[in-house]
């Protein structure tokens, strides 16, 4: 294993120290490295809080700032944050209008966020489950929450910035999640620092089709195919799952898992866009890049989120975070 490390025991805290120092104009680190929050809080605004295991950067801490999250709770690598982290984040960012948790559908995340919600007042939750690859896995009950989580955080974050109420934001988040589907493919494994070896073995000419963002298995192990063939299967699975809803305007998001160069991500975007547009989708918004990663894994996911006039406007609304910035 070759990584820039001092110690596997301090990799998360040292990374968080560097991250917040690099973005000190917009971020503050909570006591004990339990959460990252916006430097400037907006009184009377519903606070959005998310989090999960580290290793998926820039999700979630990189999405804290104006127009998105108010706080993010980082767990150890691929490990859910603990309930006390979320409780302290609520205390750190709730300005009186309540808090909305945005939670990826993994068993540990859901359990710990549920416990934290019971320990705090004025908290509601949106659970994301956009992955169409599998219904169940070792990491979750039901569909996994993956790259579509970013779409929910951006759109709901913009609505929160407008001053919408807590219940309305939850309803919007649930609606965006229901309109969003994702699926990924891995060409290599990732290496968790504490393990020091790849999470799974995969041959030079193989791919893991439908992989999760922790390296957990997907639909099947298969021989490596052309980019067009991979995109065709993923896009068809997404369209079939959305059914009649997969018609009209949409956001197309091609996400890298950490070890895939931009050149290949844009190639996959080109392939996916052509396929979706032959199926009745009009791509009106786009995002390409490594935003929901799996450490150093080579691979990508494709996310399609159907848009209406309201959600397109909220996607376009100004945002200023470490990872996403526009309109400011």
């Amino acid at each position: 294993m070759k990584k820039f490390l001092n110690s596997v025991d301090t990799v998360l805290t040292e990374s968080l120290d560097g991250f917040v120092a690099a973005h000190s104009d917009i971020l503050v680190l909570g006591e004990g490295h339990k959460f990252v929050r916006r430097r400037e809080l907006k009184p009377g605004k519903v606070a959005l809080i998310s989090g999960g295991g580290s290793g998926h950067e820039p999700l979630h801490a990189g999405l804290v700032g104006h127009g998105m999250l108010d706080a993010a709770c980082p767990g150890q690598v691929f490990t859910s944050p603990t309930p006390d982290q979320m409780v302290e984040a609520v205390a750190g960012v709730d300005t009186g209008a309540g808090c909305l948790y945005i939670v990826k559908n993994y068993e540990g995340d859901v359990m710990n966020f549920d416990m934290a919600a019971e320990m705090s007042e004025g908290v509601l939750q949106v659970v994301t489950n956009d992955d169409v690859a599998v219904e169940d896995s070792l990491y979750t009950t039901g569909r996994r929450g993956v790259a579509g989580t970013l779409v929910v955080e951006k759109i709901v974050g913009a609505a929160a910035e407008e001053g919408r109420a807590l219940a309305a934001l939850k309803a919007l988040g649930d609606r965006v999640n229901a309109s969003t589907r994702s699926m990924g493919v891995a060409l290599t494994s990732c290496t968790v620092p504490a393990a020091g070896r790849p999470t799974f073995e995969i041959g030079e000419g193989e791919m893991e089709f439908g992989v999760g963002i922790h390296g957990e298995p997907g639909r099947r192990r298969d021989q490596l195919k052309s980019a067009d063939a991979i995109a065709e299967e993923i896009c068809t699975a997404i369209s079939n799952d959305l059914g009649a809803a997969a018609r009209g305007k949409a956001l197309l998001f091609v996400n890298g898992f950490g070890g895939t160069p931009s050149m290949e991500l844009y190639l996959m975007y080109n392939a996916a866009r052509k396929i979706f547009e032959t199926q009745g989708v009009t791509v009106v918004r786009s995002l390409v890049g490594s935003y929901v990663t799996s450490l150093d894994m080579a691979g990508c996911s494709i996310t399609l989120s159907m848009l209406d006039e309201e959600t397109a406007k909220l996607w376009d609304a100004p945002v200023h975070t470490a990872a996403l910035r526009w309109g400011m």
Side-chain angles (χ1 to χ4, degrees):
M1 178 181 73
K2 292 183 179 180
K3 291 184 180 292
F4 293 109
L5 294 173
N6 293 311
S7 164
V8 295
D9 296 326
T10 61
V11 60
L12 176 57
T13 56
E14 291 176 327
S15 177
L16 286 170
D17 286 340
F19 173 70
V20 172
H23 301 285
S24 60
D25 58 325
I26 60 172
L27 300 176
V28 172
L29 185 60
E31 185 177 352
H33 296 78
K34 289 184 177 180
F35 62 92
V36 174
R37 71 161 176 87
R38 290 170 64 163
R39 175 170 288 279
E40 302 295 334
L41 299 175
K42 191 173 181 179
K45 171 190 169 301
V46 172
L48 268 58
I49 301 173
S50 192
S54 298
H56 305 305
E57 290 79 12
L59 194 81
H60 293 275
L63 304 176
V64 173
H66 178 93
M68 289 194 78
L69 299 175
D70 293 274
C73 301
Q76 293 297 319
V77 174
F78 294 174
T79 302
S80 172
T82 57
D84 69 294
Q85 290 181 252
M86 282 76 88
V87 171
E88 292 200 24
V90 169
V93 298
D94 186 358
T95 61
C99 297
L100 181 68
Y101 288 159
I102 300 177
V103 188
K104 301 187 302 301
N105 191 34
Y106 288 89
E107 196 164 32
D109 287 4
V110 171
M111 178 179 67
N112 287 351
F113 273 94
D114 279 347
M115 291 175 61
E118 292 173 1
M119 297 163 65
S120 303
E121 293 184 3
V123 174
L124 295 179
Q125 300 187 65
V126 171
V127 177
T128 61
N129 59 353
D130 51 302
D131 190 3
V132 305
V134 291
E135 288 295 335
D136 298 288
S137 81
L138 296 175
Y139 291 80
T140 182
T141 301
R143 291 186 169 180
R144 303 175 292 214
V146 288
T149 307
L150 178 149
V151 181
V152 174
E153 291 175 354
K154 171 63 186 79
I155 290 175
V156 177
E161 211 70 51
E162 291 180 350
R164 299 193 195 185
L166 178 59
L169 293 173
K170 172 176 167 49
L172 175 64
D174 289 338
R175 179 161 67 89
V176 174
N177 176 65
S179 300
T180 304
R181 299 290 190 277
S182 303
M183 188 169 174
V185 60
L187 308 183
T188 70
S189 179
C190 59
T191 301
V192 176
R197 61 183 183 276
T199 302
F200 60 88
E201 297 295 330
I202 186 167
E204 184 66 27
E206 294 181 322
M207 62 181 184
E208 185 72 30
F209 200 80
V211 71
I213 57 173
H214 305 94
E216 68 271 35
R219 291 191 168 189
R220 67 181 187 279
R221 180 69 55 87
D222 205 346
Q223 294 299 304
L224 184 62
K225 295 179 170 59
S226 70
D228 284 344
I230 294 169
E232 179 72 39
E233 185 165 348
I234 292 176
C235 294
T236 299
I238 289 172
S239 295
N240 288 345
D241 199 86
L242 281 168
R247 301 290 185 275
K249 296 178 180 180
L251 162 71
L252 175 57
F253 171 26
V254 174
N255 172 66
F257 286 152
T260 304
S262 294
M263 180 175 68
E264 295 175 34
L265 296 179
Y266 280 108
L267 186 153
M268 289 298 293
Y269 171 87
N270 185 57
R273 181 172 185 138
K274 289 178 179 178
I275 293 163
F276 279 130
E277 291 192 337
T278 65
Q279 297 173 348
V281 173
T282 302
V283 176
V284 294
R285 301 292 187 275
S286 304
L287 184 66
V288 180
S290 295
Y291 294 99
V292 184
T293 63
S294 184
L295 293 169
D296 53 347
M297 181 185 288
C300 74
S301 60
I302 297 173
T303 297
L304 190 73
S305 186
M306 306 310 298
L307 297 174
D308 56 27
E309 185 175 348
E310 178 191 22
T311 53
K313 180 181 177 181
L314 291 169
W315 177 262
D316 291 342
V319 60
H320 188 86
T321 70
L324 288 183
R325 298 186 182 193
W326 61 70
M328 298 287 290

